[in-house]
Amino acid sequence: TMENNQALVGEGTDLVVAAGLTPPPFTLPLPGSGTPPALGGGPVAVFLAQGNTLAGFDVLTTGGMGILGVNTHNLVAFDVNIDTTGGPALWLEGGTGMAAEFDQVIARNDDGEGVFLENLTGTTSFDVLDISNVNGTGFRAVDAGTVEIETEAMVETVLGPALDVRRTEGLYRGRPSWVFDKVVSGGSPINGVTFASVSQDILLRNLLVVEAALYGLWFGDIQAGVTLEEGKIHGLSHGSHGVYLNQVTGLTLIRGSSSSNPLVIEGIGTGDADSDCGVLHSNSGDLIMQFVDIRDVGQTGNEHGIRIQDPLPASPRTVHIEECLVAEIGDANVVGGGSAIDVEVTAAHRFEAVSYT
C-alpha cells in the first residue's frame, strides 16, 4: 500500500529520470536502467494513493490484482509491466490527471475484469494489451479520459463482454482511433461488444462473438466510422441483432477477407419470437458490406438478414453490398417469411445509391 506522493521506482528504469534528480557536479553517476524487479503477492500487488509515481518494475501475481487505484489523482507511470493470472491486471476507478504509460499488460484466467478504467481524466496508455480467458468484462473504459494503445490490443473473454467503451477518447499510435487486433466474447449477459458516444474511428479485427444475451456488437452515437474485419458472430439464440449500428455518422465497413473466408453472422434470435436482424443499420451514414455470410436469423416472419433504416438526413447516403450471402431468414412457413434485405426509408430521408451484387 502506497502513501500519498510516494514514488515506487525499480532498477528497470533510469533512476535520474524516474526520481527527477540532478546529481551535483563531480559526483559519481547514478546507475542507469537494469533488470526490473518483480512485485507480487497478496490480494493486491500495488495499492495506489494520491500523487504516486511508478517506474521500472514488473507486477507478477497469481490469484490477486495487479494495480488498484480508487480516487487516485495525478498518477505517473512508465516502464511498468503487469502480468496477472486469476485477477484483474489494472483497476483505476476515479481519478484526475492520469499520466500513466504501461508497457505490456497481461491478464489471464480472471474471474472478474481484465482492465477496468472508469471516471478518469488524463491519459492511460498501453504498449501491448493482452487479455485472455477472463470471466468478466475484458476491457472496460467508461468516462475514462483518453486511452492510447501503442502497438496491439487483444481481448478474449469466456463469460462476459469483450469490450465496453463509452465516452472515452481513443488513440492508436498517436492517431485518434480505437483499434483491437483480436476480439473474442463468449456468453456475455449483455452485449458482446459495446461502443457508445465516442468520436474516433473504430477498427475491430478477428472477431468471435458467441451467445451474447442482447446484441453481438452494439455501436451507438459514434461520431466517426466503424470497420469490422473477419471473424464470426454466432449462436445468439436469444439475442436480437448480430451487429446493431445506431447513429454512426461515418462509414460502416463490414467485410471478410474473401468469398472463401467471409465474415459470418449466423444463429441470431433463433430461440425467441422477437424481430431480429443479422445487421441493423439505423440512422447512420454510408454502409459497405463485402464478403459477409448471414444465415439462420430468427424464427418468425418479421426477421431480416440486413435491415437499413433511415439514414442521417444531413446528406444522401450510399449502401453497397457486394459478394454477400443471406439465407435462412425467418420461418418460411410464416406469412412474409422474413427478408434478406429490407430498406425502410421515410420521405424525409433518401439514399443516393443502394446496390446489391
Side-chain angles (χ1 to χ4, degrees):
T1 300
M2 300 191 68
E3 302 292 336
N4 288 342
N5 303 312
Q6 186 179 38
L8 181 59
V9 180
E11 290 85 354
T13 194
D14 188 303
L15 296 179
V16 173
V17 175
L21 301 176
T22 302
F26 311 111
T27 59
L28 293 174
L30 291 172
S33 60
T35 301
L39 306 179
V44 179
V46 179
F47 197 159
L48 301 172
Q50 312 294 323
N52 295 139
T53 296
L54 309 177
F57 60 89
D58 296 343
V59 175
L60 304 176
T61 69
T62 299
M65 186 180 297
I67 296 177
L68 170 63
V70 179
N71 296 323
T72 297
H73 305 291
N74 302 315
L75 171 65
V76 175
F78 54 94
D79 295 334
V80 174
N81 296 290
I82 309 173
D83 189 335
T84 63
T85 300
L90 178 65
W91 189 297
L92 299 176
E93 183 176 1
T96 58
M98 294 291 124
E101 302 177 13
F102 298 97
D103 291 344
Q104 182 168 287
V105 174
I106 299 172
R108 62 173 74 86
N109 303 326
D110 174 19
D111 288 332
E113 316 284 332
V115 169
F116 182 100
L117 308 172
E118 186 169 299
N119 295 326
L120 306 173
T121 66
T123 299
T124 306
S125 69
F126 306 91
D127 185 19
V128 174
L129 186 65
D130 187 355
I131 299 169
S132 61
N133 296 321
V134 301
N135 291 331
T137 302
F139 178 82
R140 177 182 170 93
V142 177
D143 299 308
T146 299
V147 172
E148 181 168 11
I149 296 171
E150 293 287 350
T151 303
E152 64 178 354
M154 299 167 289
V155 180
E156 178 181 350
T157 64
V158 178
L159 292 173
L163 305 173
D164 183 6
V165 178
R166 290 175 274 160
R167 299 177 299 277
T168 300
E169 180 183 2
L171 293 175
Y172 178 70
R173 300 181 180 179
R175 294 177 292 183
S177 58
W178 288 97
V179 178
F180 288 86
D181 301 284
K182 180 181 181 181
V183 179
V184 177
S185 171
S188 171
I190 48 176
N191 306 323
V193 168
T194 297
F195 276 86
S197 301
V198 302
S199 301
Q200 299 79 41
D201 288 334
I202 300 165
L203 169 57
L204 307 181
R205 300 188 180 103
N206 300 307
L207 297 159
L208 178 59
V209 178
V210 183
E211 281 298 344
L214 295 179
Y215 307 115
L217 295 90
W218 188 88
F219 303 91
D221 185 26
I222 309 299
Q223 305 301 308
V226 173
T227 298
L228 308 177
E229 289 187 342
E230 301 185 10
K232 190 173 186 178
I233 304 159
H234 73 109
L236 280 66
S237 59
H238 294 281
S240 292
H241 310 304
V243 180
Y244 185 12
L245 304 119
N246 185 40
Q247 296 182 338
V248 177
T249 62
L251 168 68
T252 296
L253 174 59
I254 304 174
R255 64 184 177 190
S257 60
S258 66
S259 57
S260 60
N261 186 27
L263 188 152
V264 176
I265 303 171
E266 65 179 5
I268 310 299
T270 55
D272 57 39
D274 295 334
S275 176
D276 306 301
C277 298
V279 174
L280 175 57
H281 188 258
S282 177
N283 298 298
S284 296
D286 297 339
L287 170 65
I288 296 176
M289 295 177 63
Q290 184 180 37
F291 305 130
V292 179
D293 283 7
I294 301 176
R295 301 172 181 268
D296 194 17
V297 175
Q299 61 176 1
T300 72
N302 191 27
E303 320 285 0
H304 310 283
I306 303 168
R307 189 173 194 186
I308 304 158
Q309 293 180 317
D310 288 334
L312 292 170
S315 63
R317 298 294 175 174
T318 297
V319 172
H320 182 74
I321 299 170
E322 179 182 3
E323 295 286 344
C324 294
L325 172 67
V326 183
E328 302 170 39
I329 308 301
D331 187 344
N333 297 317
V334 177
V335 174
S339 62
I341 300 174
D342 177 67
V343 180
E344 178 185 326
V345 183
T346 66
H349 305 76
R350 68 188 180 91
F351 285 106
E352 185 175 68
V354 180
S355 62
Y356 313 127
T357 58

